[in-house]
Amino acid sequence: MEKIPTSERADSSSAVNLSSIITQSISAFDRAMMQRCLTLARRALGQTAPNPLVGSVIVREGQIIGEGFHPGAGNPHAEIFALQEAGERAKGATVYVNLEPCNHYGRTPPCSEALIKAGVAKVVVGMVDPDPRVSGSGIARLRQAGIEVLVGVEEEACRQLNEAFIHRILYQRPFGILKYAMTLDGKIATTNGHSSWITSTEARNQVYQLRAACDAVIVGGNTVRYDNPLLTCHDTAARNPLRVVMSRSLNLPTEAHLWNTQTAPTLVLTEAKSNPDVYQCLVNRGVEVVELTPLTPALAMAYLYERGFLSVLWECGGTLAAKAIADKAVQKILAFIAPKIVGGKSAPSPVGDLGLANMTDALSLERVTCKLVGPDYLVEGYLKPNH
């Protein structure tokens, strides 16, 4: 994957300004077709890293004549699949795509040139690509060729779908999501450590879907020792994420569900020269072990960025969660709250010590939403970028 130099990183404000250039009014039909693009794009959730999720629809005389989505890096982009299905009928048609068509040679040729060659009359774009290799140049090339371009249709939904891609481009790091389940009184386990199950089957099913959409899921050594999780999607048809364990000392059990790499791949991140016996045991079981010194959430995310990841799900305990937040490795919070009270002065909470002495220092979430999931509530929000 080609790395983007720091000097060439996209500025989010420029992307917003570009995408605000709308050449004509947006119709209900335009919005419906863009939502169809998003539906198509979601078919590849968790499979496109480091590329974005993109869907495309081609319309002629109010009828869809071609559609497609990008299935993953190295494969043709969504517009190409849509053009192939439309064939000669694409000439004079309108193309919808949720992300600006690329205008550079990467693993595949530029989509802008393919659209021009096909003779399409109009291209409707959901959002401008934040990648500086594209950012506005694809739109400019289409207009230069005499193609009408409408930009900014369902832009908020388009940005939401590709929030991990946008974050990766702007900050050179994967998008971090901290997910936890707790009781109404803020406990993630009882005083003796029992934690199964806090939330309902409906909530757990949503977590499985979330895992399938992420490239990796991270836990700490305590979670492995006390919970022995699977960290899979519990669906034979779904793609499992890379399971990552962070353990500085490698004080890990030699038998655990995570060491069964036939189920899903597992990576253990540790520091140099930690517990050679366990190291060799894990390697013998097919577990990948990588040494990062010092082992911190920030360094772990930098390493996963180099591996091309878009989104990383933190499903760790309170101590590691606090470190991940402090290291700015978390951008989004998903808190599942069960209508239960377990009590216990020493019962663990989802986030450990952040060193905040006053309530005025508390980290506030933005764009907060709340919804019912079975008998539980899901509170979702974003940490401020400068937290």
Side-chain angles (χ1 to χ4, degrees), residues 125-199:
V125 177
M127 63 169 282
V128 173
D129 193 330
D131 189 329
R133 295 170 297 179
V134 183
S135 200
S137 66
I139 293 168
R141 177 70 184 101
L142 294 172
R143 286 175 172 163
Q144 183 184 46
I147 296 173
E148 181 185 353
V149 183
L150 174 61
V151 185
V153 177
E154 296 291 271
E155 182 177 2
E156 184 176 349
C158 293
R159 296 182 70 84
Q160 176 75 28
L161 178 68
N162 274 310
E163 61 183 1
F165 173 72
I166 295 169
H167 181 84
R168 176 183 168 84
I169 290 294
L170 296 182
Y171 301 102
Q172 312 294 284
R173 288 291 182 273
F175 185 73
I177 304 168
L178 173 62
K179 167 258 144 187
Y180 55 82
M182 70 178 188
T183 59
L184 197 57
D185 55 339
K187 309 298 183 182
I188 61 172
T190 62
T191 53
N192 66 6
H194 188 262
S195 60
S196 299
W197 293 100
I198 294 173
T199 52

Side-chain angles (χ1 to χ4, degrees), residues 279-356:
Y279 183 106
Q280 193 57 51
C281 176
L282 294 175
V283 171
N284 291 343
R285 296 289 297 272
V287 175
E288 183 182 4
V289 183
V290 172
E291 296 176 343
L292 299 175
T293 305
L295 181 58
T296 64
L299 193 57
M301 291 295 264
Y303 171 75
L304 295 176
Y305 170 80
E306 294 296 333
R307 288 183 63 145
F309 288 8
L310 283 176
S311 55
V312 171
L313 181 62
W314 294 83
E315 288 199 56
C316 50
T319 300
L320 183 53
K323 291 178 181 177
I325 290 173
D327 259 4
K328 303 186 187 305
V330 171
Q331 285 69 51
K332 187 175 185 177
I333 306 289
L334 295 179
F336 290 88
I337 304 172
K340 302 175 181 178
I341 295 176
V342 71
K345 184 176 181 181
S346 60
S349 62
V351 180
D353 188 9
L354 288 169
L356 305 178

